[in-house]
Amino acid sequence: MNPPILERDPSDPQKQKKEGVNPLLKLVLELGPLMVFFFANARGAWLTQKFPALAEFGGPIFVATGLFMAATAIALIASWLLTRTLPIMPMVSGVVVFVFGALTLYLQDDIFIKMKPTIVNMLFGGVLLGGLFFGKSLLGYVFDSAFSLDAEGWKKLTFRWGLFFLFLALVNEVVWRNFSTDAWVTFKVWGIMPITLLFTFSQMPLIMRHSLEGKPGKEEKAGK
């Protein structure tokens, strides 16, 4: 789940269009590729029997990688058609999926797709913490939501999310290096989401303390 950012002008047509997207459809676009990845890895042998062309990819993890890339592309295209914009996180994650997925298939080495979450999380964690080093709370520019916080709130939230992304990178490294491919796929799909949800909900007290909503005369100061 994505952390909150600056609140846009209600008259912004992009925001109005985005808010008009059915929440269930939005959830499908976000989780759909992961579900495809999990199913294809678990039923790779069955899929290659039903669709022999998929055998060209290789074993189940390679079939899953190929279908994951295709599902990610479809989700990004659908998101663009619905909102005429692509949030930074899904876009960057999608680029890494395509690059590391292509390396996985071309070299027939699943280490690349397993390292993808590590690379993405390190990238986001590094950007957020690096921005703070230069006095910028970049969380409001990286993610898309409707919260409005004061400068101190954005700074604290950016720091916490930066550390959390690095934590996710470390956890991914521990899991894929020490457990089976099936265990890693299961954790990637069914483990990361609950952990992220728990972390997101744990930040609500901070968000409430620093929220600018209902405080007239104050302006958002994220990144300043």
Side-chain angles (χ1 to χ4, degrees), residues 106-160:
Y106 181 74
L107 299 175
Q108 287 291 286
D109 189 343
D110 61 10
I111 188 175
F112 294 103
I113 197 63
K114 289 178 178 178
M115 288 182 64
K116 175 263 175 183
T118 301
I119 299 300
V120 169
N121 287 312
M122 287 186 64
L123 176 62
F124 279 101
V127 167
L128 293 180
L129 296 178
L132 286 179
F133 181 79
F134 290 101
K136 297 290 184 179
S137 302
L138 298 177
L139 191 67
Y141 303 102
V142 175
F143 297 99
D144 188 20
S145 187
F147 288 105
S148 175
L149 306 180
D150 58 29
E152 182 181 0
W154 282 120
K155 183 177 180 179
K156 291 180 179 179
L157 200 60
T158 298
F159 180 71
R160 293 183 183 186

Side-chain angles (χ1 to χ4, degrees), residues 55-201:
E56 296 295 325
F57 286 124
I61 187 61
F62 301 108
V63 172
T65 298
L67 294 181
F68 184 41
M69 294 168 66
T72 298
I74 292 172
L76 289 174
I77 292 171
S79 179
W80 169 258
L81 293 175
L82 290 169
T83 66
R84 293 300 175 183
T85 186
L86 287 176
I88 292 178
M89 184 174 183
M91 182 172 63
V92 172
S93 181
V95 170
V96 178
V97 166
F98 300 141
V99 172
F100 280 72
L103 288 172
T104 296
L105 296 178
Y106 181 74
L107 299 175
Q108 287 291 286
D109 189 343
D110 61 10
I111 188 175
F112 294 103
I113 197 63
K114 289 178 178 178
M115 288 182 64
K116 175 263 175 183
T118 301
I119 299 300
V120 169
N121 287 312
M122 287 186 64
L123 176 62
F124 279 101
V127 167
L128 293 180
L129 296 178
L132 286 179
F133 181 79
F134 290 101
K136 297 290 184 179
S137 302
L138 298 177
L139 191 67
Y141 303 102
V142 175
F143 297 99
D144 188 20
S145 187
F147 288 105
S148 175
L149 306 180
D150 58 29
E152 182 181 0
W154 282 120
K155 183 177 180 179
K156 291 180 179 179
L157 200 60
T158 298
F159 180 71
R160 293 183 183 186
W161 272 99
L163 291 181
F164 181 68
F165 280 124
L166 295 184
F167 166 75
L168 290 180
L170 176 62
V171 169
N172 184 69
E173 285 295 296
V174 170
V175 173
W176 83 260
R177 291 180 184 275
N178 294 280
F179 297 91
S180 68
T181 295
D182 288 345
W184 171 76
V185 172
T186 300
F187 177 76
K188 172 180 170 60
V189 177
W190 303 109
I192 295 299
M193 181 62 67
I195 292 173
T196 303
L197 284 173
L198 285 174
F199 176 79
T200 300
F201 290 136

Side-chain angles (χ1 to χ4, degrees), residues 43-55:
R43 303 298 301 275
W46 177 81
L47 285 172
T48 54
Q49 289 179 353
K50 294 293 183 180
F51 307 96
L54 293 178

Side-chain angles (χ1 to χ4, degrees), residues 6-51:
L6 290 171
E7 185 178 48
R8 294 182 178 178
D9 184 341
S11 62
D12 185 345
Q14 293 288 359
K15 181 178 180 181
Q16 290 177 347
K17 188 169 186 178
K18 189 177 301 182
E19 289 178 343
V21 177
N22 187 292
L24 180 59
L25 177 58
K26 184 178 180 181
L27 183 64
V28 169
L29 292 176
E30 291 180 353
L31 300 183
L34 283 177
M35 297 297 104
V36 169
F37 186 62
F38 177 78
F39 175 79
N41 180 74
R43 303 298 301 275
W46 177 81
L47 285 172
T48 54
Q49 289 179 353
K50 294 293 183 180
F51 307 96

